[in-house]
Amino acid sequence: MAQTLPLTLHLGQTLSFAASPSAEGPDAVRHERTGALLVEGGMIRAVGAAEALRAAHPGAEVVDHGAALIVPGFVDAHAHYPQTGMIASWGKRLIDWLNHYTFPTESRFADRAFADEIAERYLDLLLAHGTTSVCSYCTIHPESVEALFSAAEARGMRVFAGKTCMDRDTAPDFLRDSAQSAYDDSKALLERWHGRGRAEYVITPRFSPTSTPEQLRALGALWAEHPEVLMQTHLSEQTDEIAWVKSLYPQARDYLDTYEAYGLLGERGLYGHAIHLEPREHARLREVNAALVHCPTSNTFIGSGLFDMDGLTRAGMRVGLATDTGGGSSFSMLRTMAAAYEVAQLRHRALHPAELLWLATQGSAIALMAEDRIGNLAPGLEADFTVLDLASTPAIAQRVAQAEDIWEALFPTIMMGDDRAIRATYVAGRRAV
């Protein structure tokens, strides 16, 4: 029987969100320089000034984080945990990269012991970098899904994931399922795992070039039967990919139409990358309130292009932030925030530190339609949070010494921080790192 967690008061600086900084600016963020977070039973009970919360809860166990900054746990909205071991592989663009690195690696996940090893390694790497929730693709093998959800359950993490489906001969024969097995396996895994503890199943066609129309139709039917779950896929990542899609689906109006025609466009849809959108695609995604996921380190590492963060958020699109490991070159959401800043600069917009932190926490939670559970420090939410050391290295410390406000103090950690900046990671109120 799980041990009941005591009423605990975490002291430190706190940052929480009252609204979206993308819309409201940094005034949408609440900063308490001498703050506290009250946690009980894995849930947040209160956040506010330390003096007031200490007075109101004199019996609470106190954990003093000093001048460290308590923020919501990072939420990674798009990743491929099976690619953990092949991160930072050299010299390929998307299609060659998949054939040369990804598909041979993913073929090994029929072995449950191997899948368990990688799943455990991956989640431990996330926690070490302050990430408490992730939305991940698995492989075509049900064993890969079982491994990830089992590892997450052991760590108490809220994880979103699903079996990747591929049945077209554009994928290697050793890594293909079928329309029927994709439906059957996905349905069985969904019924076994969705809503079990903190597990959330996600219907997962890899992308339309590796699925036949029959498979996309079958997965669209499964989604119609279970509209409560998310669906994730890729969209308009590279220009040569778009040309490939048009050659495979000549009747489609555009890339998005290859999903829309088979019931795979909706509010609970997550569309990774979405760099080279056509006007109709932009309008339809906005009309159905679908979520886009920005993967900046992947987009630059594989040479995909520059995501239009400013234009899409100003148009009212829901946007999450993601590492996209292993196409992305880091497990760190700090590094991902830094890359998002750099990409936005190349598009002539300097994202404020408040926006960057929001994207990596509440913004991604909103994209995953989970903002009522994760992504913020607020009463009633699950107690997933990260404690940041804002002077974790000499280079960062010397810059922070000159800071005049919290944003000048936080920004060097966003731009130069790594796992050394993670003083502690808490999952459902329990310290994980």
mmCIF file with all atom_site columns, all heavy atoms in Angstrom, residues 209-232:
data_model
loop_
_atom_site.group_PDB
_atom_site.id
_atom_site.type_symbol
_atom_site.label_atom_id
_atom_site.label_alt_id
_atom_site.label_comp_id
_atom_site.label_asym_id
_atom_site.label_entity_id
_atom_site.label_seq_id
_atom_site.pdbx_PDB_ins_code
_atom_site.Cartn_x
_atom_site.Cartn_y
_atom_site.Cartn_z
_atom_site.occupancy
_atom_site.B_iso_or_equiv
_atom_site.pdbx_formal_charge
_atom_site.auth_seq_id
_atom_site.auth_comp_id
_atom_site.auth_asym_id
_atom_site.auth_atom_id
_atom_site.pdbx_PDB_model_num
ATOM 1   N N   . PRO A 1 209 ? 2.893   9.318  -45.272 1.00 0.00 ? 209 PRO A N   1
ATOM 2   C CA  . PRO A 1 209 ? 3.718   8.570  -46.226 1.00 0.00 ? 209 PRO A CA  1
ATOM 3   C C   . PRO A 1 209 ? 3.993   7.119  -45.848 1.00 0.00 ? 209 PRO A C   1
ATOM 4   O O   . PRO A 1 209 ? 4.345   6.321  -46.712 1.00 0.00 ? 209 PRO A O   1
ATOM 5   C CB  . PRO A 1 209 ? 5.024   9.369  -46.265 1.00 0.00 ? 209 PRO A CB  1
ATOM 6   C CG  . PRO A 1 209 ? 4.670   10.731 -45.829 1.00 0.00 ? 209 PRO A CG  1
ATOM 7   C CD  . PRO A 1 209 ? 3.575   10.540 -44.829 1.00 0.00 ? 209 PRO A CD  1
ATOM 8   N N   . THR A 1 210 ? 3.850   6.761  -44.566 1.00 0.00 ? 210 THR A N   1
ATOM 9   C CA  . THR A 1 210 ? 4.101   5.372  -44.179 1.00 0.00 ? 210 THR A CA  1
ATOM 10  C C   . THR A 1 210 ? 2.818   4.620  -43.833 1.00 0.00 ? 210 THR A C   1
ATOM 11  O O   . THR A 1 210 ? 2.875   3.509  -43.303 1.00 0.00 ? 210 THR A O   1
ATOM 12  C CB  . THR A 1 210 ? 5.086   5.292  -42.991 1.00 0.00 ? 210 THR A CB  1
ATOM 13  O OG1 . THR A 1 210 ? 4.635   6.146  -41.933 1.00 0.00 ? 210 THR A OG1 1
ATOM 14  C CG2 . THR A 1 210 ? 6.498   5.695  -43.420 1.00 0.00 ? 210 THR A CG2 1
ATOM 15  N N   . SER A 1 211 ? 1.683   5.201  -44.139 1.00 0.00 ? 211 SER A N   1
ATOM 16  C CA  . SER A 1 211 ? 0.400   4.513  -43.929 1.00 0.00 ? 211 SER A CA  1
ATOM 17  C C   . SER A 1 211 ? -0.393  4.493  -45.227 1.00 0.00 ? 211 SER A C   1
ATOM 18  O O   . SER A 1 211 ? -0.409  5.476  -45.982 1.00 0.00 ? 211 SER A O   1
ATOM 19  C CB  . SER A 1 211 ? -0.437  5.211  -42.854 1.00 0.00 ? 211 SER A CB  1
ATOM 20  O OG  . SER A 1 211 ? 0.082   5.016  -41.559 1.00 0.00 ? 211 SER A OG  1
ATOM 21  N N   . THR A 1 212 ? -1.071  3.379  -45.471 1.00 0.00 ? 212 THR A N   1
ATOM 22  C CA  . THR A 1 212 ? -1.996  3.315  -46.591 1.00 0.00 ? 212 THR A CA  1
ATOM 23  C C   . THR A 1 212 ? -3.283  4.047  -46.229 1.00 0.00 ? 212 THR A C   1
ATOM 24  O O   . THR A 1 212 ? -3.585  4.259  -45.045 1.00 0.00 ? 212 THR A O   1
ATOM 25  C CB  . THR A 1 212 ? -2.344  1.860  -46.921 1.00 0.00 ? 212 THR A CB  1
ATOM 26  O OG1 . THR A 1 212 ? -2.985  1.270  -45.763 1.00 0.00 ? 212 THR A OG1 1
ATOM 27  C CG2 . THR A 1 212 ? -1.097  1.062  -47.287 1.00 0.00 ? 212 THR A CG2 1
ATOM 28  N N   . PRO A 1 213 ? -4.062  4.426  -47.240 1.00 0.00 ? 213 PRO A N   1
ATOM 29  C CA  . PRO A 1 213 ? -5.373  5.007  -46.921 1.00 0.00 ? 213 PRO A CA  1
ATOM 30  C C   . PRO A 1 213 ? -6.220  4.094  -46.034 1.00 0.00 ? 213 PRO A C   1
ATOM 31  O O   . PRO A 1 213 ? -6.947  4.576  -45.154 1.00 0.00 ? 213 PRO A O   1
ATOM 32  C CB  . PRO A 1 213 ? -6.001  5.186  -48.306 1.00 0.00 ? 213 PRO A CB  1
ATOM 33  C CG  . PRO A 1 213 ? -4.836  5.395  -49.221 1.00 0.00 ? 213 PRO A CG  1
ATOM 34  C CD  . PRO A 1 213 ? -3.772  4.478  -48.680 1.00 0.00 ? 213 PRO A CD  1
ATOM 35  N N   . GLU A 1 214 ? -6.094  2.774  -46.231 1.00 0.00 ? 214 GLU A N   1
ATOM 36  C CA  . GLU A 1 214 ? -6.860  1.827  -45.414 1.00 0.00 ? 214 GLU A CA  1
ATOM 37  C C   . GLU A 1 214 ? -6.473  1.922  -43.941 1.00 0.00 ? 214 GLU A C   1
ATOM 38  O O   . GLU A 1 214 ? -7.338  1.856  -43.053 1.00 0.00 ? 214 GLU A O   1
ATOM 39  C CB  . GLU A 1 214 ? -6.643  0.406  -45.927 1.00 0.00 ? 214 GLU A CB  1
ATOM 40  C CG  . GLU A 1 214 ? -7.252  0.126  -47.295 1.00 0.00 ? 214 GLU A CG  1
ATOM 41  C CD  . GLU A 1 214 ? -6.474  0.760  -48.443 1.00 0.00 ? 214 GLU A CD  1
ATOM 42  O OE1 . GLU A 1 214 ? -5.271  1.072  -48.259 1.00 0.00 ? 214 GLU A OE1 1
ATOM 43  O OE2 . GLU A 1 214 ? -7.069  0.960  -49.526 1.00 0.00 ? 214 GLU A OE2 1
ATOM 44  N N   . GLN A 1 215 ? -5.177  2.081  -43.666 1.00 0.00 ? 215 GLN A N   1
ATOM 45  C CA  . GLN A 1 215 ? -4.753  2.202  -42.277 1.00 0.00 ? 215 GLN A CA  1
ATOM 46  C C   . GLN A 1 215 ? -5.201  3.523  -41.670 1.00 0.00 ? 215 GLN A C   1
ATOM 47  O O   . GLN A 1 215 ? -5.683  3.563  -40.526 1.00 0.00 ? 215 GLN A O   1
ATOM 48  C CB  . GLN A 1 215 ? -3.243  2.064  -42.144 1.00 0.00 ? 215 GLN A CB  1
ATOM 49  C CG  . GLN A 1 215 ? -2.788  2.057  -40.684 1.00 0.00 ? 215 GLN A CG  1
ATOM 50  C CD  . GLN A 1 215 ? -1.321  1.766  -40.516 1.00 0.00 ? 215 GLN A CD  1
ATOM 51  O OE1 . GLN A 1 215 ? -0.482  2.643  -40.707 1.00 0.00 ? 215 GLN A OE1 1
ATOM 52  N NE2 . GLN A 1 215 ? -0.997  0.522  -40.149 1.00 0.00 ? 215 GLN A NE2 1
ATOM 53  N N   . LEU A 1 216 ? -5.060  4.602  -42.417 1.00 0.00 ? 216 LEU A N   1
ATOM 54  C CA  . LEU A 1 216 ? -5.511  5.899  -41.903 1.00 0.00 ? 216 LEU A CA  1
ATOM 55  C C   . LEU A 1 216 ? -7.006  5.863  -41.625 1.00 0.00 ? 216 LEU A C   1
ATOM 56  O O   . LEU A 1 216 ? -7.475  6.393  -40.609 1.00 0.00 ? 216 LEU A O   1
ATOM 57  C CB  . LEU A 1 216 ? -5.163  7.007  -42.895 1.00 0.00 ? 216 LEU A CB  1
ATOM 58  C CG  . LEU A 1 216 ? -3.670  7.271  -43.119 1.00 0.00 ? 216 LEU A CG  1
ATOM 59  C CD1 . LEU A 1 216 ? -3.479  8.382  -44.152 1.00 0.00 ? 216 LEU A CD1 1
ATOM 60  C CD2 . LEU A 1 216 ? -2.951  7.625  -41.823 1.00 0.00 ? 216 LEU A CD2 1
ATOM 61  N N   . ARG A 1 217 ? -7.761  5.216  -42.513 1.00 0.00 ? 217 ARG A N   1
ATOM 62  C CA  . ARG A 1 217 ? -9.205  5.112  -42.312 1.00 0.00 ? 217 ARG A CA  1
ATOM 63  C C   . ARG A 1 217 ? -9.520  4.291  -41.053 1.00 0.00 ? 217 ARG A C   1
ATOM 64  O O   . ARG A 1 217 ? -10.412 4.643  -40.271 1.00 0.00 ? 217 ARG A O   1
ATOM 65  C CB  . ARG A 1 217 ? -9.854  4.469  -43.538 1.00 0.00 ? 217 ARG A CB  1
ATOM 66  C CG  . ARG A 1 217 ? -11.385 4.437  -43.469 1.00 0.00 ? 217 ARG A CG  1
ATOM 67  C CD  . ARG A 1 217 ? -11.987 3.829  -44.729 1.00 0.00 ? 217 ARG A CD  1
ATOM 68  N NE  . ARG A 1 217 ? -11.744 4.675  -45.893 1.00 0.00 ? 217 ARG A NE  1
ATOM 69  C CZ  . ARG A 1 217 ? -10.933 4.366  -46.901 1.00 0.00 ? 217 ARG A CZ  1
ATOM 70  N NH1 . ARG A 1 217 ? -10.265 3.205  -46.883 1.00 0.00 ? 217 ARG A NH1 1
ATOM 71  N NH2 . ARG A 1 217 ? -10.773 5.184  -47.918 1.00 0.00 ? 217 ARG A NH2 1
ATOM 72  N N   . ALA A 1 218 ? -8.785  3.209  -40.837 1.00 0.00 ? 218 ALA A N   1
ATOM 73  C CA  . ALA A 1 218 ? -9.020  2.372  -39.657 1.00 0.00 ? 218 ALA A CA  1
ATOM 74  C C   . ALA A 1 218 ? -8.713  3.136  -38.376 1.00 0.00 ? 218 ALA A C   1
ATOM 75  O O   . ALA A 1 218 ? -9.462  3.036  -37.387 1.00 0.00 ? 218 ALA A O   1
ATOM 76  C CB  . ALA A 1 218 ? -8.152  1.120  -39.740 1.00 0.00 ? 218 ALA A CB  1
ATOM 77  N N   . LEU A 1 219 ? -7.630  3.918  -38.387 1.00 0.00 ? 219 LEU A N   1
ATOM 78  C CA  . LEU A 1 219 ? -7.281  4.695  -37.194 1.00 0.00 ? 219 LEU A CA  1
ATOM 79  C C   . LEU A 1 219 ? -8.259  5.853  -36.994 1.00 0.00 ? 219 LEU A C   1
ATOM 80  O O   . LEU A 1 219 ? -8.571  6.216  -35.856 1.00 0.00 ? 219 LEU A O   1
ATOM 81  C CB  . LEU A 1 219 ? -5.848  5.182  -37.297 1.00 0.00 ? 219 LEU A CB  1
ATOM 82  C CG  . LEU A 1 219 ? -4.793  4.065  -37.264 1.00 0.00 ? 219 LEU A CG  1
ATOM 83  C CD1 . LEU A 1 219 ? -3.396  4.617  -37.528 1.00 0.00 ? 219 LEU A CD1 1
ATOM 84  C CD2 . LEU A 1 219 ? -4.822  3.318  -35.934 1.00 0.00 ? 219 LEU A CD2 1
ATOM 85  N N   . GLY A 1 220 ? -8.747  6.419  -38.086 1.00 0.00 ? 220 GLY A N   1
ATOM 86  C CA  . GLY A 1 220 ? -9.790  7.431  -37.967 1.00 0.00 ? 220 GLY A CA  1
ATOM 87  C C   . GLY A 1 220 ? -11.056 6.860  -37.349 1.00 0.00 ? 220 GLY A C   1
ATOM 88  O O   . GLY A 1 220 ? -11.724 7.516  -36.532 1.00 0.00 ? 220 GLY A O   1
ATOM 89  N N   . ALA A 1 221 ? -11.385 5.618  -37.717 1.00 0.00 ? 221 ALA A N   1
ATOM 90  C CA  . ALA A 1 221 ? -12.556 4.959  -37.126 1.00 0.00 ? 221 ALA A CA  1
ATOM 91  C C   . ALA A 1 221 ? -12.353 4.716  -35.635 1.00 0.00 ? 221 ALA A C   1
ATOM 92  O O   . ALA A 1 221 ? -13.273 4.902  -34.827 1.00 0.00 ? 221 ALA A O   1
ATOM 93  C CB  . ALA A 1 221 ? -12.817 3.638  -37.855 1.00 0.00 ? 221 ALA A CB  1
ATOM 94  N N   . LEU A 1 222 ? -11.139 4.301  -35.259 1.00 0.00 ? 222 LEU A N   1
ATOM 95  C CA  . LEU A 1 222 ? -10.852 4.080  -33.837 1.00 0.00 ? 222 LEU A CA  1
ATOM 96  C C   . LEU A 1 222 ? -10.969 5.379  -33.051 1.00 0.00 ? 222 LEU A C   1
ATOM 97  O O   . LEU A 1 222 ? -11.511 5.393  -31.934 1.00 0.00 ? 222 LEU A O   1
ATOM 98  C CB  . LEU A 1 222 ? -9.446  3.485  -33.674 1.00 0.00 ? 222 LEU A CB  1
ATOM 99  C CG  . LEU A 1 222 ? -9.000  3.201  -32.236 1.00 0.00 ? 222 LEU A CG  1
ATOM 100 C CD1 . LEU A 1 222 ? -9.909  2.175  -31.565 1.00 0.00 ? 222 LEU A CD1 1
ATOM 101 C CD2 . LEU A 1 222 ? -7.554  2.713  -32.219 1.00 0.00 ? 222 LEU A CD2 1
ATOM 102 N N   . TRP A 1 223 ? -10.504 6.464  -33.639 1.00 0.00 ? 223 TRP A N   1
ATOM 103 C CA  . TRP A 1 223 ? -10.593 7.769  -32.966 1.00 0.00 ? 223 TRP A CA  1
ATOM 104 C C   . TRP A 1 223 ? -12.055 8.181  -32.807 1.00 0.00 ? 223 TRP A C   1
ATOM 105 O O   . TRP A 1 223 ? -12.437 8.738  -31.774 1.00 0.00 ? 223 TRP A O   1
ATOM 106 C CB  . TRP A 1 223 ? -9.803  8.803  -33.748 1.00 0.00 ? 223 TRP A CB  1
ATOM 107 C CG  . TRP A 1 223 ? -9.435  10.029 -32.946 1.00 0.00 ? 223 TRP A CG  1
ATOM 108 C CD1 . TRP A 1 223 ? -9.431  10.165 -31.597 1.00 0.00 ? 223 TRP A CD1 1
ATOM 109 C CD2 . TRP A 1 223 ? -9.003  11.287 -33.469 1.00 0.00 ? 223 TRP A CD2 1
ATOM 110 N NE1 . TRP A 1 223 ? -9.017  11.438 -31.232 1.00 0.00 ? 223 TRP A NE1 1
ATOM 111 C CE2 . TRP A 1 223 ? -8.749  12.143 -32.373 1.00 0.00 ? 223 TRP A CE2 1
ATOM 112 C CE3 . TRP A 1 223 ? -8.795  11.760 -34.757 1.00 0.00 ? 223 TRP A CE3 1
ATOM 113 C CZ2 . TRP A 1 223 ? -8.306  13.460 -32.537 1.00 0.00 ? 223 TRP A CZ2 1
ATOM 114 C CZ3 . TRP A 1 223 ? -8.347  13.070 -34.922 1.00 0.00 ? 223 TRP A CZ3 1
ATOM 115 C CH2 . TRP A 1 223 ? -8.107  13.917 -33.815 1.00 0.00 ? 223 TRP A CH2 1
ATOM 116 N N   . ALA A 1 224 ? -12.860 7.919  -33.827 1.00 0.00 ? 224 ALA A N   1
ATOM 117 C CA  . ALA A 1 224 ? -14.290 8.240  -33.732 1.00 0.00 ? 224 ALA A CA  1
ATOM 118 C C   . ALA A 1 224 ? -14.957 7.446  -32.620 1.00 0.00 ? 224 ALA A C   1
ATOM 119 O O   . ALA A 1 224 ? -15.888 7.929  -31.959 1.00 0.00 ? 224 ALA A O   1
ATOM 120 C CB  . ALA A 1 224 ? -14.967 7.972  -35.069 1.00 0.00 ? 224 ALA A CB  1
ATOM 121 N N   . GLU A 1 225 ? -14.475 6.215  -32.401 1.00 0.00 ? 225 GLU A N   1
ATOM 122 C CA  . GLU A 1 225 ? -15.021 5.384  -31.318 1.00 0.00 ? 225 GLU A CA  1
ATOM 123 C C   . GLU A 1 225 ? -14.545 5.848  -29.948 1.00 0.00 ? 225 GLU A C   1
ATOM 124 O O   . GLU A 1 225 ? -15.218 5.621  -28.938 1.00 0.00 ? 225 GLU A O   1
ATOM 125 C CB  . GLU A 1 225 ? -14.593 3.927  -31.529 1.00 0.00 ? 225 GLU A CB  1
ATOM 126 C CG  . GLU A 1 225 ? -15.189 3.280  -32.762 1.00 0.00 ? 225 GLU A CG  1
ATOM 127 C CD  . GLU A 1 225 ? -14.467 1.993  -33.138 1.00 0.00 ? 225 GLU A CD  1
ATOM 128 O OE1 . GLU A 1 225 ? -13.706 1.462  -32.292 1.00 0.00 ? 225 GLU A OE1 1
ATOM 129 O OE2 . GLU A 1 225 ? -14.632 1.526  -34.283 1.00 0.00 ? 225 GLU A OE2 1
ATOM 130 N N   . HIS A 1 226 ? -13.370 6.490  -29.913 1.00 0.00 ? 226 HIS A N   1
ATOM 131 C CA  . HIS A 1 226 ? -12.789 6.952  -28.649 1.00 0.00 ? 226 HIS A CA  1
ATOM 132 C C   . HIS A 1 226 ? -12.358 8.424  -28.783 1.00 0.00 ? 226 HIS A C   1
ATOM 133 O O   . HIS A 1 226 ? -11.165 8.744  -28.752 1.00 0.00 ? 226 HIS A O   1
ATOM 134 C CB  . HIS A 1 226 ? -11.585 6.080  -28.277 1.00 0.00 ? 226 HIS A CB  1
ATOM 135 C CG  . HIS A 1 226 ? -11.950 4.680  -27.923 1.00 0.00 ? 226 HIS A CG  1
ATOM 136 N ND1 . HIS A 1 226 ? -12.387 4.320  -26.664 1.00 0.00 ? 226 HIS A ND1 1
ATOM 137 C CD2 . HIS A 1 226 ? -11.980 3.551  -28.667 1.00 0.00 ? 226 HIS A CD2 1
ATOM 138 C CE1 . HIS A 1 226 ? -12.654 3.023  -26.650 1.00 0.00 ? 226 HIS A CE1 1
ATOM 139 N NE2 . HIS A 1 226 ? -12.414 2.529  -27.847 1.00 0.00 ? 226 HIS A NE2 1
ATOM 140 N N   . PRO A 1 227 ? -13.328 9.327  -28.918 1.00 0.00 ? 227 PRO A N   1
ATOM 141 C CA  . PRO A 1 227 ? -12.979 10.736 -29.117 1.00 0.00 ? 227 PRO A CA  1
ATOM 142 C C   . PRO A 1 227 ? -12.341 11.384 -27.901 1.00 0.00 ? 227 PRO A C   1
ATOM 143 O O   . PRO A 1 227 ? -11.833 12.512 -27.991 1.00 0.00 ? 227 PRO A O   1
ATOM 144 C CB  . PRO A 1 227 ? -14.336 11.385 -29.442 1.00 0.00 ? 227 PRO A CB  1
ATOM 145 C CG  . PRO A 1 227 ? -15.345 10.483 -28.786 1.00 0.00 ? 227 PRO A CG  1
ATOM 146 C CD  . PRO A 1 227 ? -14.783 9.098  -28.921 1.00 0.00 ? 227 PRO A CD  1
ATOM 147 N N   . GLU A 1 228 ? -12.330 10.672 -26.784 1.00 0.00 ? 228 GLU A N   1
ATOM 148 C CA  . GLU A 1 228 ? -11.728 11.227 -25.567 1.00 0.00 ? 228 GLU A CA  1
ATOM 149 C C   . GLU A 1 228 ? -10.209 11.171 -25.589 1.00 0.00 ? 228 GLU A C   1
ATOM 150 O O   . GLU A 1 228 ? -9.556  11.834 -24.768 1.00 0.00 ? 228 GLU A O   1
ATOM 151 C CB  . GLU A 1 228 ? -12.248 10.478 -24.339 1.00 0.00 ? 228 GLU A CB  1
ATOM 152 C CG  . GLU A 1 228 ? -11.707 9.047  -24.139 1.00 0.00 ? 228 GLU A CG  1
ATOM 153 C CD  . GLU A 1 228 ? -12.409 7.980  -24.964 1.00 0.00 ? 228 GLU A CD  1
ATOM 154 O OE1 . GLU A 1 228 ? -13.230 8.343  -25.840 1.00 0.00 ? 228 GLU A OE1 1
ATOM 155 O OE2 . GLU A 1 228 ? -12.153 6.780  -24.721 1.00 0.00 ? 228 GLU A OE2 1
ATOM 156 N N   . VAL A 1 229 ? -9.603  10.402 -26.498 1.00 0.00 ? 229 VAL A N   1
ATOM 157 C CA  . VAL A 1 229 ? -8.147  10.281 -26.515 1.00 0.00 ? 229 VAL A CA  1
ATOM 158 C C   . VAL A 1 229 ? -7.546  11.248 -27.532 1.00 0.00 ? 229 VAL A C   1
ATOM 159 O O   . VAL A 1 229 ? -8.233  11.768 -28.421 1.00 0.00 ? 229 VAL A O   1
ATOM 160 C CB  . VAL A 1 229 ? -7.683  8.832  -26.813 1.00 0.00 ? 229 VAL A CB  1
ATOM 161 C CG1 . VAL A 1 229 ? -8.309  7.857  -25.831 1.00 0.00 ? 229 VAL A CG1 1
ATOM 162 C CG2 . VAL A 1 229 ? -7.969  8.442  -28.251 1.00 0.00 ? 229 VAL A CG2 1
ATOM 163 N N   . LEU A 1 230 ? -6.253  11.464 -27.417 1.00 0.00 ? 230 LEU A N   1
ATOM 164 C CA  . LEU A 1 230 ? -5.517  12.281 -28.368 1.00 0.00 ? 230 LEU A CA  1
ATOM 165 C C   . LEU A 1 230 ? -5.119  11.444 -29.581 1.00 0.00 ? 230 LEU A C   1
ATOM 166 O O   . LEU A 1 230 ? -5.081  10.215 -29.525 1.00 0.00 ? 230 LEU A O   1
ATOM 167 C CB  . LEU A 1 230 ? -4.259  12.850 -27.711 1.00 0.00 ? 230 LEU A CB  1
ATOM 168 C CG  . LEU A 1 230 ? -4.443  13.760 -26.504 1.00 0.00 ? 230 LEU A CG  1
ATOM 169 C CD1 . LEU A 1 230 ? -3.098  14.051 -25.845 1.00 0.00 ? 230 LEU A CD1 1
ATOM 170 C CD2 . LEU A 1 230 ? -5.116  15.072 -26.904 1.00 0.00 ? 230 LEU A CD2 1
ATOM 171 N N   . MET A 1 231 ? -4.802  12.139 -30.673 1.00 0.00 ? 231 MET A N   1
ATOM 172 C CA  . MET A 1 231 ? -4.211  11.529 -31.859 1.00 0.00 ? 231 MET A CA  1
ATOM 173 C C   . MET A 1 231 ? -2.996  12.368 -32.215 1.00 0.00 ? 231 MET A C   1
ATOM 174 O O   . MET A 1 231 ? -3.066  13.592 -32.240 1.00 0.00 ? 231 MET A O   1
ATOM 175 C CB  . MET A 1 231 ? -5.210  11.522 -33.010 1.00 0.00 ? 231 MET A CB  1
ATOM 176 C CG  . MET A 1 231 ? -4.776  10.741 -34.261 1.00 0.00 ? 231 MET A CG  1
ATOM 177 S SD  . MET A 1 231 ? -3.526  11.545 -35.331 1.00 0.00 ? 231 MET A SD  1
ATOM 178 C CE  . MET A 1 231 ? -4.286  13.119 -35.726 1.00 0.00 ? 231 MET A CE  1
ATOM 179 N N   . GLN A 1 232 ? -1.862  11.713 -32.477 1.00 0.00 ? 232 GLN A N   1
ATOM 180 C CA  . GLN A 1 232 ? -0.648  12.451 -32.832 1.00 0.00 ? 232 GLN A CA  1
ATOM 181 C C   . GLN A 1 232 ? -0.085  11.952 -34.159 1.00 0.00 ? 232 GLN A C   1
ATOM 182 O O   . GLN A 1 232 ? -0.150  10.761 -34.479 1.00 0.00 ? 232 GLN A O   1
ATOM 183 C CB  . GLN A 1 232 ? 0.406   12.319 -31.739 1.00 0.00 ? 232 GLN A CB  1
ATOM 184 C CG  . GLN A 1 232 ? 0.910   10.902 -31.506 1.00 0.00 ? 232 GLN A CG  1
ATOM 185 C CD  . GLN A 1 232 ? 1.920   10.804 -30.381 1.00 0.00 ? 232 GLN A CD  1
ATOM 186 O OE1 . GLN A 1 232 ? 2.488   11.809 -29.936 1.00 0.00 ? 232 GLN A OE1 1
ATOM 187 N NE2 . GLN A 1 232 ? 2.182   9.594  -29.906 1.00 0.00 ? 232 GLN A NE2 1
#
